[in-house]
Every structure is written in structure tokens, then in C-alpha cells.
Amino acid sequence: MIQQFEFTLDSKPRGMHLITRDILEHLPRPLPQTGMLNIFVKHTSCGLSINENADPDVRSDLERIVNHLVKEGEPYYAHTLEGLDDMPSHAKSSLFGVSINIPITDSRLNLGTWQGIYFCEFRDYGGPRKIVLTIYQ
């Protein structure tokens, strides 16, 4: 059986945002005993990741790392009509990816103790983002 839900994540400023609670709020209860959750963001200038959920320094460090790796305003960018942050946001989205899979075990997301779900906003003003949650059972 496959169940699918879509919701809109409120606008977030540029950065890495822990959204585990947002995801859990939009999932049915109870979750199946076992299965797989796919989380997909329907945009090309943001991404998803699983990472450290306790220390907020990880989120700010990751933001600085990706901004160092993919810089704004490079002279070789051709796609520049939507602002300095647009082309770098597409590259960062490709590097991070727009979907993740999480196993469901004992009717819970089977994340590690220190793992959380990140929404990675790469635009200065990305706006609301559509998220699709698909449960495979």
C-alpha cells in the first residue's frame, strides 16, 4: 500500500532548518509497523538532508561550508536573471538532493539518536515550499 500527503512548508530564511517535527505533524497516525518514508521537495533551489539534530552550530557550519564551496556572483554563471543567489541555489540543490528516504520500524521513523531532517533553503527569499510525503508499506 502507498499513502501520499502534500503540504506547504512556511517560508524559511536562507540556511539549514530542522523540520523533523513539521514532517511528523503531517504524517498519519499510527504509522505502519514497517515501511519506508520518502520526503520530496518540489523545488530546484532548496534541498533535504539528514544530519545532527542537537547542536545548532552544525546547521550554521553547514551553511558556511556550502556557501564557501558554491559562491555567488561567479563570472562564469550564465543563469543570472533571478539574482545572485539563484544559480548557486540550483547547484547546491543538486549537491544535496531534493528527496530522502527514512525507514519506518515499529511504527516510528527509524532515525539515529542524533539525526534530524533538514530543510536546506539556498535562496535569500525562497518562499513557501511544497513537500510530498510518500509512505511505502
Side-chain angles (χ1 to χ4, degrees):
M1 178 156 117
I2 298 174
Q3 300 176 57
Q4 195 166 75
F5 312 91
E6 185 169 327
F7 73 97
T8 301
L9 187 65
D10 290 338
S11 294
K12 306 272 186 219
R14 184 193 288 218
M16 309 297 179
H17 304 277
L18 195 58
I19 62 162
T20 309
R21 277 197 192 122
D22 297 277
I23 298 300
L24 291 172
E25 287 173 4
H26 288 90
L27 289 173
R29 293 290 176 202
L31 286 172
Q33 180 68 23
T34 59
M36 185 68 67
L37 171 65
N38 175 268
I39 307 169
F40 175 78
V41 59
K42 296 171 64 172
H43 301 273
T44 62
S45 55
C46 56
L48 296 168
S49 183
I50 295 176
N51 218 304
E52 165 78 48
N53 69 358
D55 186 351
D57 287 343
V58 172
R59 295 190 289 278
S60 56
D61 285 347
L62 278 173
E63 170 71 7
R64 285 190 288 276
I65 290 167
V66 297
N67 289 335
H68 178 76
L69 294 172
V70 183
K71 294 176 177 45
E72 291 184 4
E74 294 290 358
Y76 52 84
Y77 293 159
H79 179 74
T80 59
L81 295 177
E82 296 179 51
L84 289 176
D85 65 337
D86 190 41
M87 186 58 232
S89 71
H90 295 311
K92 293 170 186 177
S93 179
S94 288
L95 291 172
F96 273 74
V98 294
S99 71
I100 56 175
N101 292 306
I102 302 170
I104 299 169
T105 306
D106 296 329
S107 299
R108 299 181 61 192
L109 296 185
N110 197 347
L111 292 166
T113 302
W114 304 110
Q115 289 182 320
I117 303 165
Y118 279 26
F119 169 73
C120 311
E121 179 57 72
F122 301 127
R123 296 292 314 260
D124 289 330
Y125 306 102
R129 302 301 198 160
K130 300 276 189 202
I131 306 281
V132 179
L133 306 174
T134 305
I135 297 173
Y136 300 90
Q137 184 177 2

